[in-house]
Amino acid sequence: MSSRNSPQHNDLAGYLAGKPNHLIAVLFAAAIVWIGWIHQGTPAHAQDPASPSVQATWAGIQGHYRPGQWTAIRLKTAAGESTFGDAVPVEQLSDLVIETLDGDGAVVTYEQPDLSDDSPFALAIPGSEAAPIIIRSGDRVLARTRLPERGVPANGASMIPLGMPWVMVFGDTLAIDKIGVNELLNREASVAVTHIQESAAVPDHALALDGIDLMVVNAAGIPILNELSSPQRTALSHWVRNGGQVLVTLGGQAETLLQTADWLAELLPDSVASAQVTKLDPSGLETFTSSQNRLPTFEGLQLPKTFGRDGVGEMLISGRTSRRVSQPFAVRYVSGFGHITVLAADLESAEFADWPQRMDLVTLLIGDSLRHADEDNVSESIRLSGFADLAGQTRATLDRFELKRPFSFAVLAVIIGVLIALVGPLDYLLMRKFNQKSWIGWLTFPTVSVALSIGLWMAAQPRKSVSTGPTDASEASHSEADDALLRTNSIEFVDIDAQSGFGRLFRWSFIYSHPSNRVQIATRTTPETKAVADKFHHQVLAPFGTPSLAMGGIQIESSGKSCGVSLKQTDPESPLSSQIDGMRLSPRSSKSFALQTQFSTDLPEQTLKRRRGSELLNGELINTLPVDLLDGMLIYQNWVYLLPTRLPAGSKIDEVDSLRQKNFRWQLSRQRALESNSEGESWDVSVVDQPRRLAEMLMFHNAVGGPRYTVLRNEVLGHLDFSSLLTVDRCILVGRCKTPWSELVVTTESADAESSPEATRSLATSEQSNSYVRLVLPVEEVRR
């Protein structure tokens, strides 16, 4: 009998090796026992209450969100029930705390005890793709999950990266979600479309809509628009005035649509909201799209013909009615800092759905809003600087402090090389030549190490400013800041639309601490802001940044809890505000945060004049702002009027045409005319010591050519670009302010701050602040 058939084996391993079927059976049984033991040993409260099926209602808008921007976390369903199921009653959704990671990979908690009472949403800023989310109510964990990863937005919940246009649609998508789709090449859509399926999915605060690039509204969305609550309508209105882009189709159901979307009708001129529906000849649309396919006569809103007065706007398409009367088909209106493109046709109707040129019409009307960012255009900037966006150059400019002694990589490499040489071959050769005693190396090695450590410690000491002693309160606070070794660098933009009375403030700051520190950061309203703002909509302070090539690829570091953001809103009528608590700063480190403010204002009315058929302004200009403007400019289309070096508050310039005029694009590119040609100054992505030049580019990036001039995109801070407002019916007054419009209150906390209130103190830490104000004024055409 052969040994292969013999059941005799020396040990169990040999038996199992000879019986593979027995081995599989034993392992399978062990796995079943282990899974059962784990299932029985896991308590019910430790199971994850979140499931993938509810992620679409949790994060952002129907599961779509952008990292680094405010994101809505849905707490309640349309029926008013908790999204966490029957295990968590709605009454327990109070004292909410949302924990996630910021752009640096540190833990940030968003405390919002008052928001959950009247709102079905909470707010947080996820710093990266698939950021973890932990929702607590008191000591109880309601959910522990992660946000969706980057995927195909058309298939469900997904992170939407920078560079991909994001469109929110009320009604028919108009095939926008099919842009870029190629089945043969297996390409997915290049545009992320969020098709609103229920009104409860729309956030009730404008902050949660910041990531959207375009909103499409048509008659198919009337049922959902009719169900929006008052806070949701207000949020949509504030989003448009803050710079949002809207495409609305007003065809046969225009009157019903404007009555349902009353927030949209309020943003349009009165002549548009009161217009009637008429029959239109389709030849205007066919000519505009170079179509060879005939369209039938359709119904559309009779848009006003007057431009520059009541019917302010820019005509995009002109046509005729069925009675051969000239009629605008598409007009773009400015509302606050945003644009509303009105098309007098129902593109979602059957006759337009079968028209092959419908998508061409949409893309021609929207333009750059549906264009995906091209990585090839910024490859050179990534190679030279490491970032691909103007925000990266702004970050490099702000994150520079005179208190910190800079050391290049070459210096550190030389120091390491010298250390290795001293404790290695040089030490051996010297001791071998003179003493011939190798044990001397045990003395020279620590001596060299200690001496080099002391030298590096002395070289890393902060560079304090020399002062003879404080003479007033401001110098005293600055002396205390020197003692605490805290510094802040900031850049601030204040924008006011004089016609709509809408204003906003954006301040990006970096705080640096030489020793280890724990600080609390709050804001204080300055007299300048109080003199302008009648009512605040929100004043929120939170960490700012995104871990991508746009800002230089912020390093992900697991540094534990970084800070907490306390959101407060006492009632629906009061402004939403926040402050940063317990921000931990490691030795010789900095942290980025931003202040976003929206407010209403009532500045004195002022309308500038221009002659018919002319591109130049005339008449008087009054500085209605409560601050002096330094190095001011009045910009109209492609002309810039250079104001005096200092324009005091309330002062008047009798004749605008008496000011020095220049080509605005030449002014931005520092171009000058030579004998036979012109010469301009190219943009240097490696320059980080010219904040004023950088501020100009942030404010009018597209006006100078965009990435073609700077080789950088402007996506993170794209809301600061006012190039689209350089229209025929708007001009912009720009100036630099001596002092910021916002004030940061930094309070240091020692280790025993909880037990000793005296251990905290407020410091004035501003070291460098560049503040700019822009006043958007209407322009009226007058006859000679």
Side-chain angles (χ1 to χ4, degrees), residues 720-759:
L720 299 176
D721 192 348
F722 270 14
S723 301
S724 60
L725 295 181
L726 299 177
T727 60
V728 70
D729 51 25
R730 291 291 190 279
C731 66
I732 305 175
L733 178 63
V734 184
R736 184 172 54 88
C737 302
K738 184 178 180 180
T739 58
W741 287 51
S742 59
E743 183 179 355
L744 298 177
V745 180
V746 181
T747 304
T748 59
E749 302 177 5
S750 62
D752 55 348
E754 298 180 356
S755 59
S756 176
E758 293 78 8

Side-chain angles (χ1 to χ4, degrees), residues 118-447:
D118 301 319
S119 172
F121 293 95
L123 296 173
I125 302 180
S128 62
E129 175 186 2
I133 293 289
I134 301 177
I135 303 179
R136 295 189 178 93
S137 177
D139 297 333
R140 183 175 184 182
V141 177
L142 303 182
R144 188 189 301 269
T145 183
R146 284 185 175 272
L147 294 179
E149 299 179 357
R150 178 176 178 176
V152 182
N155 296 340
S158 171
M159 185 272 290
I160 301 176
L162 287 172
M164 174 178 282
W166 186 7
V167 182
M168 185 170 70
V169 179
F170 290 96
D172 192 90
T173 61
L174 307 180
I176 297 177
D177 53 344
K178 303 298 182 183
I179 296 178
V181 175
N182 192 318
E183 296 181 356
L184 294 178
L185 300 178
N186 196 23
R187 290 179 182 173
E188 302 293 344
S190 60
V191 178
V193 176
T194 302
H195 189 195
I196 302 299
Q197 303 292 340
E198 57 172 347
S199 60
V202 180
D204 57 359
H205 202 282
L207 284 174
L209 301 171
D210 281 348
I212 298 174
D213 298 307
L214 174 68
M215 184 184 301
V216 177
V217 181
N218 49 56
I222 290 178
I224 295 179
L225 292 170
N226 192 36
E227 297 176 358
L228 295 178
S229 63
S230 178
Q232 290 173 323
R233 297 168 187 260
T234 303
L236 294 174
S237 176
H238 288 175
W239 174 81
V240 176
R241 287 179 172 171
N242 192 39
Q245 310 291 321
V246 181
L247 172 63
V248 54
T249 59
L250 298 178
Q253 304 184 56
E255 297 180 2
T256 305
L257 179 59
L258 292 177
Q259 291 176 0
T260 304
D262 51 352
W263 57 271
L264 184 59
E266 293 175 357
L267 300 177
L268 293 170
D270 296 336
S271 57
V272 177
S274 60
Q276 303 296 323
V277 176
T278 186
K279 292 283 187 179
L280 300 177
D281 189 330
S283 58
L285 298 181
E286 295 168 356
T287 304
F288 183 72
T289 57
S290 302
S291 175
Q292 302 297 324
N293 298 278
R294 181 68 179 173
L295 276 172
T297 302
F298 59 91
E299 290 185 338
L301 193 69
Q302 190 172 357
L303 298 175
K305 300 179 183 179
T306 56
F307 298 96
R309 296 179 182 176
D310 184 40
V312 176
E314 177 187 1
M315 185 170 61
L316 303 178
I317 305 177
S318 177
R320 293 177 295 184
T321 65
S322 58
R323 295 181 296 174
R324 317 297 291 178
V325 179
S326 62
Q327 175 67 39
F329 277 16
V331 182
R332 179 172 296 147
Y333 299 97
V334 176
S335 180
F337 310 127
H339 292 83
I340 303 176
T341 303
V342 178
L343 178 64
D346 286 326
L347 293 185
E348 70 278 6
S349 59
E351 57 268 22
F352 280 98
D354 298 333
W355 188 42
Q357 278 70 42
R358 184 178 71 164
M359 180 50 61
D360 296 336
L361 175 62
V362 173
T363 53
L364 288 173
L365 288 175
I366 301 305
D368 295 337
S369 298
L370 301 179
R371 187 174 301 169
H372 195 281
D374 190 1
E375 295 289 343
D376 297 335
N377 292 338
V378 296
S379 58
E380 181 181 354
S381 69
I382 297 175
R383 178 177 58 84
L384 295 176
S385 60
F387 46 78
D389 195 281
L390 276 174
Q393 193 166 1
T394 307
R395 175 196 174 203
T397 302
L398 295 177
D399 199 9
R400 292 169 56 88
F401 301 89
E402 295 183 358
L403 186 69
K404 179 175 59 175
R405 298 179 184 271
F407 293 94
S408 64
F409 177 78
V411 174
L412 297 178
V414 169
I415 293 175
I416 295 175
V418 170
L419 176 62
I420 295 175
L422 287 177
V423 301
L426 292 180
D427 181 70
Y428 173 77
L429 293 176
L430 292 175
M431 294 303 102
R432 181 82 174 176
K433 181 177 180 180
F434 295 103
N435 295 321
Q436 297 184 356
K437 296 179 180 180
S438 58
W439 60 269
I440 300 295
W442 291 101
L443 299 179
T444 57
F445 173 74
T447 302

